Amino acid sequence: MHTSGKKMNGSEIFFECLRRENVEYIFGYPGGALLKVYETLYDVQDIKHILVRHEQGATHMAEGYARATGKPGVVLVTSGPGATNTVTGISNAYMDSSPMVVFTGQVVSNLIGNDAFQEADIVGITRPITKHNFLVKDVKDLATTVRKAFYLASQGRPGPVLVDLPKDVLSSECIFNWPEKIDIRGFKPTIKGHENQIKKAAKIIAKAKRPLLYVGGGVIASEGSEALRTLAIEQDIPVTMTLQGLGAFPGSHPLSMGMLGMHGTYWANQAVNNCDLLISVGARFDDRVTGKIDKFATHAYKIHNDIDPTNIDKNIKVDLPVVGDSRHFLEGVLKALPKTRENRQPWLEEIAKWRKQCPLAYVNDDKKLKTEFVIDEVSRQTEGSAVVVTDVGQHQMWTAQYYKFANPRSIITSGGLGTMGYGLPAAIGAAFGVHDRPVVLFCGDGGFTMNIQELVTAAHYKLPVKLFLINNNFLGMVRQWQELFHQEKYSFTDLQQSNPDFVRVAEAFGVKAMSATNPAEAKRAISEALDYNEGPALVEFKVIKKDMVFPMVPAGAPISEMLFDRLNPNTMV
């Protein structure tokens, strides 16, 4: 339908803009400032509105959808408390570079700043945690503003953008004109890295005897995984990944070293500290990766590719920066590589010795259930092909260690902000975006209760998401630190007396639910949940109460000093 040049009110313009941006889903919750929008929405058939049960849930769902599909997630909430409830989700998306556009209702323009009912300065509140935000002051600017918001959210380093919509703007009328092209002064992201820098990187890579690829979520966001696999395999370069980079390179491949950093593999951290060339692609040298900065990769020449120039030299000084899209960088390096290269076999053999020296392992017990076993078994039954969502805590790190991600866009987790309560709504959002792979959630009992109301959303829309609840009756990661470093004073982390019967709670929400207390029961329950596609299925795994995520690097230590012994925190390898 041709709509340019037609007179419309702000709400009609809003939905026409979403159509132009090919929006499929809106995650929202109505309220007074948005009544005109929801009046118009009543007759909208081509855009699906998902009614969440809390605005924070809307943001996490939108991010889960975005991370699973690569498309911007869209949030629609009312003014005041509706808007402020989105702050945690917006911050989470900002930290993890997830494309999201958040539309908030606002009081009428002449009441802004007067402490009107349900008024909050959401533009001021979110300025530090958005790529940009807008207050629409005239209905004539609405279409252009929406166009800019989607452009900013998805171009360059992805992230959240907020658009604040005063009630009177949504009711006002004007001629609708859609801007086909957008030019935003000061926003010119570099997509193609400097050609000479890329050629120089290729020459250095070819000559390196002990190179290591260190890759992050930027490789996945740029759709650069295929180029990464080609480069690593053709050049015999081992690959280690950040938490958000898992899946960029197949976890079962011999060159995969898994995750590095605080809870990374021993051999990945050893490789970082013994390589002669560290090639960082789409990663930002986060403190959980680097440990003590002045001890990080001290023998390595460092190449750093990132689309965000502010990430270059922010945490680690590098020798060769290449600002630009990661896929373009990797493809450019492949094209520029000399035909001859160094023999990397001695390097790979040394890594194999480290892998054998300190493998990832856990002791199985026929009568007791360990989280590591659950994740390992899910990985086996799904063959590493599921979209895996996690909440935050011990299970998150065990997932990084034991799930063998076969594909990109397979892990959706809160990395930078570490938001408990993220997992359930993010899994729901992912389930709206992915239909050809199972969507699996690993969530602890603490995080699960934070947004448990979204079970209603999952049940109402009959989403076939697999909710694997790891119940150890503790805030497990906090308890681990209390045990190791705070004299075993378990201050307000024991949930044994306050946790509900999760199976009965889930059933009350209309969710199929079951529990498992030993490995045999766990295997059967996992299989049953994976086979059930008529709606959400929850399995509560009653795991041992006290368990530790090892290896780990204590805060402030170099990543070469890894802790393996729960009985002696000072014992490091």
Side-chain angles (χ1 to χ4, degrees):
M1 181 179 178
H2 183 71
T3 51
S4 288
K6 181 180 177 182
K7 193 171 187 179
M8 298 180 173
N9 64 42
S11 295
E12 293 168 332
I13 290 171
F14 172 74
F15 285 107
E16 185 57 33
C17 290
L18 296 190
R19 291 186 186 98
R20 302 292 181 108
E21 294 292 348
N22 298 312
V23 171
E24 186 179 11
Y25 292 104
I26 300 169
F27 300 94
Y29 202 90
L34 289 177
L35 285 175
K36 189 66 178 177
V37 173
Y38 277 84
E39 176 190 325
T40 305
L41 177 60
Y42 188 85
D43 296 313
V44 171
Q45 302 296 323
D46 52 340
I47 299 173
K48 300 178 183 68
H49 178 279
I50 307 304
L51 178 63
V52 304
R53 291 308 189 270
H54 191 285
E55 292 89 354
Q56 182 182 348
T59 56
H60 294 329
M61 286 182 207
E63 185 177 358
Y65 174 85
R67 293 277 296 278
T69 65
K71 305 172 187 176
V74 178
V75 176
L76 179 64
V77 299
T78 194
S79 64
T84 57
N85 279 343
T86 67
V87 169
T88 297
I90 293 171
S91 183
N92 197 94
Y94 185 73
M95 292 283 279
D96 287 343
S97 304
S98 300
M100 180 192 297
V101 182
V102 178
F103 295 100
T104 54
Q106 185 55 275
V107 299
V108 293
S109 299
N110 63 358
L111 290 181
I112 292 176
N114 286 358
D115 293 332
F117 176 66
Q118 289 196 332
E119 180 195 358
D121 179 11
I122 197 62
V123 169
I125 290 168
T126 60
R127 188 169 287 121
I129 56 171
T130 52
K131 284 186 72 176
H132 195 70
N133 57 23
F134 300 90
L135 171 63
V136 183
K137 298 179 180 179
D138 191 320
V139 69
K140 295 175 184 177
D141 299 327
L142 180 56
T144 300
T145 302
V146 174
R147 184 83 168 91
K148 286 180 178 179
F150 278 90
Y151 181 81
L152 285 165
S154 56
Q155 296 300 307
R157 179 181 177 181
V161 176
L162 183 137
V163 181
D164 204 22
L165 303 169
K167 193 172 182 179
D168 54 310
V169 170
L170 295 169
S171 300
S172 300
E173 293 184 338
C174 72
I175 299 298
F176 173 71
N177 287 300
W178 178 250
E180 294 297 338
K181 293 184 179 180
I182 286 293
D183 182 51
I184 302 175
R185 186 175 64 183
F187 183 72
K188 308 293 179 187
T190 301
I191 304 302
K192 295 184 177 181
H194 196 284
E195 190 172 343
N196 288 340
Q197 295 288 85
I198 291 174
K199 288 179 178 178
K200 184 177 179 182
K203 289 179 181 178
I204 294 168
I205 289 170
K207 293 179 180 178
K209 290 182 169 62
R210 303 156 72 88
L212 178 65
L213 278 157
Y214 149 50
V215 303
V219 172
I220 296 171
S222 69
E223 309 293 345
S225 298
E226 185 177 343
L228 171 67
R229 287 195 295 270
T230 302
L231 176 62
I233 293 169
E234 287 186 358
Q235 295 291 313
D236 273 342
I237 304 176
V239 181
T240 186
M241 292 157 277
T242 67
L243 178 63
Q244 303 292 18
L246 291 168
F249 189 79
S252 59
H253 195 281
L255 288 170
S256 173
M257 305 187 69
M259 188 175 70
L260 77 164
M262 178 172 280
H263 288 288
T265 64
Y266 173 74
W267 54 93
N269 285 355
Q270 286 295 102
V272 168
N273 285 294
N274 288 276
C275 65
D276 62 3
L277 173 64
L278 185 66
I279 312 152
S280 175
V281 188
R284 59 187 175 90
F285 291 97
D286 178 76
D287 61 283
R288 295 279 157 149
V289 162
T290 62
K292 191 173 184 179
I293 286 177
D294 59 5
K295 298 290 185 181
F296 180 80
T298 54
H299 305 298
Y301 184 95
K302 300 178 186 68
I303 299 172
H304 188 191
N305 159 247
D306 200 291
I307 199 165
D308 185 351
T310 66
N311 279 337
I312 305 292
D313 286 338
K314 182 169 70 175
N315 296 324
I316 296 288
K317 298 294 181 183
V318 299
D319 301 290
L320 180 62
V322 185
V323 175
D325 175 81
S326 291
R327 185 177 71 177
H328 183 272
F329 169 76
L330 291 164
E331 291 174 346
V333 167
L334 281 167
K335 185 177 179 181
L337 276 170
K339 293 182 179 179
T340 59
R341 61 172 173 81
E342 291 290 330
N343 174 25
R344 273 76 187 254
Q345 195 56 36
W347 175 228
L348 298 179
E349 289 173 358
E350 187 170 5
I351 290 172
K353 290 179 182 177
W354 291 324
R355 189 188 295 257
K356 188 176 180 180
Q357 181 182 352
C358 291
L360 284 176
Y362 59 91
V363 178
N364 202 9
D365 187 319
D366 290 340
K367 296 181 180 179
K368 296 179 181 179
L369 192 56
K370 294 177 73 74
T371 305
E372 300 96 305
F373 172 85
V374 172
I375 294 166
D376 206 7
E377 181 64 20
V378 174
S379 181
R380 186 189 67 80
Q381 290 197 28
T382 59
E383 297 180 335
S385 65
V387 175
V388 176
V389 185
T390 84
D391 208 83
V392 171
Q394 287 180 314
H395 68 275
Q396 181 186 30
M397 296 297 100
W398 276 316
T399 300
Q401 291 176 346
Y402 287 100
Y403 195 92
K404 302 300 181 187
F405 295 92
N407 306 297
R409 298 202 181 280
S410 290
I411 185 166
I412 299 173
T413 190
S414 174
L417 197 62
T419 304
M420 288 180 67
Y422 171 86
L424 175 56
I428 292 170
F432 279 109
V434 175
H435 308 289
D436 59 346
R437 295 193 281 161
V439 175
V440 168
L441 168 69
F442 292 115
C443 191
D445 47 317
F448 190 69
T449 56
M450 284 193 169
N451 273 312
I452 198 169
Q453 75 284 341
E454 300 307 335
L455 282 175
V456 175
T457 310
H460 175 72
Y461 293 100
K462 294 181 168 57
L463 297 171
V465 63
K466 323 305 176 186
L467 310 173
F468 292 151
L469 174 60
I470 309 297
N471 184 6
N472 62 358
N473 288 302
F474 252 123
L475 299 179
M477 186 62 85
V478 183
R479 182 208 58 77
Q480 176 165 332
W481 282 68
Q482 287 174 333
E483 180 168 333
L484 292 175
F485 309 113
H486 296 278
Q487 304 176 59
E488 300 185 23
K489 293 183 177 180
Y490 304 127
S491 182
F492 297 98
T493 50
D494 192 331
L495 305 178
Q496 180 101 33
Q497 303 304 317
S498 57
N499 268 341
D501 183 328
F502 286 107
V503 169
R504 292 174 64 190
V505 168
E507 289 174 342
F509 278 111
V511 174
K512 177 183 174 67
M514 63 200 94
S515 65
T517 59
N518 60 57
E521 292 177 354
K523 282 184 178 182
R524 289 193 296 271
I526 291 166
S527 178
E528 185 175 345
L530 291 172
D531 288 340
Y532 181 76
N533 292 306
E534 297 176 20
L538 179 139
V539 182
E540 178 192 19
F541 298 98
K542 296 181 178 180
V543 298
I544 62 174
K545 191 169 182 179
K546 290 186 178 182
D547 201 358
M548 298 287 222
V549 183
F550 287 127
M552 74 171 290
V553 177
I559 62 170
S560 58
E561 297 181 4
M562 300 199 76
L563 176 64
F564 285 84
D565 186 353
R566 67 179 294 154
L567 299 177
N568 184 0
N570 298 313
T571 301
M572 299 181 190
V573 176

